[in-house]
Amino acid sequence: MPKATLTISSKNYSSWSLRGWLMCKLGGLEFDEVTVSLDDPDARAELLLLSPSFLVPCLTHDGAKVWDTLAIGEYVAEASPEAGLLPSDRAARAHCRAICGEMHSGFANLRAALPMNLKAHHPGFKVWAGAQADIDRIIAIWGECLATYGGPYLFGQAPTMADAMYAPVVTRFLTYDVRLNRESATYCRTIMKWPAMTEWVADAKAEPAELEELDMEF
Ligand SMILES: N[C@@H](CCC(=O)N[C@@H](CS)C(=O)NCC(=O)O)C(=O)O
C-alpha cells in the first residue's frame, strides 16, 4: 500500500487530530505526519492546500483526500478491512457507527467546557451542569458497550473506530477529574494503556507550550 500523509495540529490540544491519528494507527497505515500550527497565518494558508475545510485531521492516501475524522475512519476501515476498525457483526457494526456518529455530531457542552489538554490536571474541577448531561450520556454509552461486548474495549477484545472517537473524552475525564463509575474508570485505564495512545501522550507532553489559556472548543 502506498504511504499516506496525515495532517494534524497540536498533539496536546487537538482532539480531532488524535482521533484521526489513532484510526490510521489502528488500520496499520504507514503515514507521514504533517503538523500545522493553527494560529499561525502562514501555516493556515498552507493548511488550505492540504485540507479544503481548513480543519485537521486530513488524510491523503493513494489519490484520495479525506478531511473529516469520521470519513477518515470509514476510509481506513475500507482500505484495511482486516484491521477491524469496524466490528464484523452487522448489528455491532451499526451500533459502532451510531456511537461514532453521536460523538462526531454531539456533546458540544462537554467539548466547550472541558477542552482537551493532555498536559493539564485540574483536581476537583467543578463541572457545569450542561456538560454533566453529556458526561452522563457518554458513561451510559460506554456502560452499554462494555456490558454487551464484554470489554475491555467498547466492542470487545480489540480497539475499534469507536475507541478512537472516544479516546479524547477519556483524556478530558482524567484532566478534569470527572467522577466515574468503576467500569468507566477501568475503560479509561484501558485506553490510556493502549500503545498508540501512550505514544501520542508522550509526544503531546514533549510539545512546546503553545496556548496559555484555552477557552474555546478545539
Ligand atoms: N468535524 C471535523 C472537526 C475537525 C476540527 O474541528 N478540527 C479542529 C482541530 S481539533 C480544527 O482544525 N480547527 C481549526 C482551527 O482551530 O482553526 C472532523 O471530524 O474532522
Side-chain angles (χ1 to χ4, degrees), residues 8-76:
I8 56 173
S9 63
S10 161
K11 286 194 170 175
N12 189 51
Y13 298 115
S14 175
S15 63
W16 292 105
S17 295
L18 168 58
R19 293 179 175 100
W21 187 90
L22 286 173
M23 288 169 182
C24 291
K25 285 279 179 186
L26 208 46
L29 216 63
E30 254 202 274
F31 64 95
D32 287 324
E33 286 173 31
V34 175
T35 304
V36 291
S37 169
L38 295 175
D39 45 7
D40 168 354
D42 290 341
R44 288 191 71 83
E46 192 185 326
L47 177 59
L48 187 58
L49 297 175
L50 299 167
S51 174
S53 67
F54 255 133
L55 299 176
V56 290
C58 178
L59 176 71
T60 318
H61 180 238
D62 197 15
K65 189 175 257 202
V66 200
W67 58 86
D68 176 272
T69 307
L70 206 46
I72 290 174
E74 289 289 345
Y75 177 82
V76 177

